[in-house]
Amino acid sequence: MATPWENDRGDRGKPCYIDPMVTKALKNILDRIGTWPENAQNEAAATLQVIEQEFLAPHTVTDEDRAALERSAEDVTQGRFATDEDVQRVFGRFRRA
């Protein structure tokens, strides 16, 4: 299975999934970064490199991860999950106006 950073042939490069809104938001901030002072641009680049490395690094599933996945699967099996209305209610409390 391809990771988000490779296509079904295993080619690295552009992510295979991109939400158009995220892409637009990212493009907007990247356009503005060009107007920042050089030291701020360097800091932004270093931060993005750290984020990229986190996505590219292999992830080892721990026993704690497995236990959490088992609990989650059990919750789904037992019907213990939020409804769409529950989720909208929570998002409604935390969304920016």
Side-chain angles (χ1 to χ4, degrees):
M1 181 171 134
T3 69
W5 297 101
E6 56 191 19
N7 62 29
D8 59 356
R9 297 179 314 275
D11 297 334
R12 292 230 181 246
K14 202 172 187 180
C16 295
Y17 64 89
I18 300 221
D19 181 322
M21 294 301 290
V22 173
T23 302
K24 184 176 181 180
L26 184 59
K27 181 183 179 330
N28 287 339
I29 190 70
L30 290 175
D31 288 345
R32 290 194 308 274
I33 288 173
T35 67
W36 296 359
E38 184 177 350
N39 64 334
Q41 290 182 34
N42 290 337
E43 187 174 336
T47 300
L48 291 171
Q49 287 172 339
V50 169
I51 293 168
E52 180 182 47
Q53 286 306 309
E54 289 177 7
F55 280 106
L56 295 176
H59 178 74
T60 302
V61 178
T62 65
D63 289 340
E64 184 178 318
D65 294 333
R66 283 186 189 85
L69 290 167
E70 288 174 15
R71 286 191 308 274
S72 179
E74 179 65 19
D75 285 341
V76 171
T77 300
Q78 297 297 318
R80 296 185 299 247
F81 48 86
T83 64
D84 289 344
E85 292 79 20
D86 295 333
V87 172
Q88 288 302 318
R89 194 169 29 258
V90 170
F91 281 148
R93 286 190 298 203
F94 296 103
R95 265 198 192 108
R96 292 180 182 177

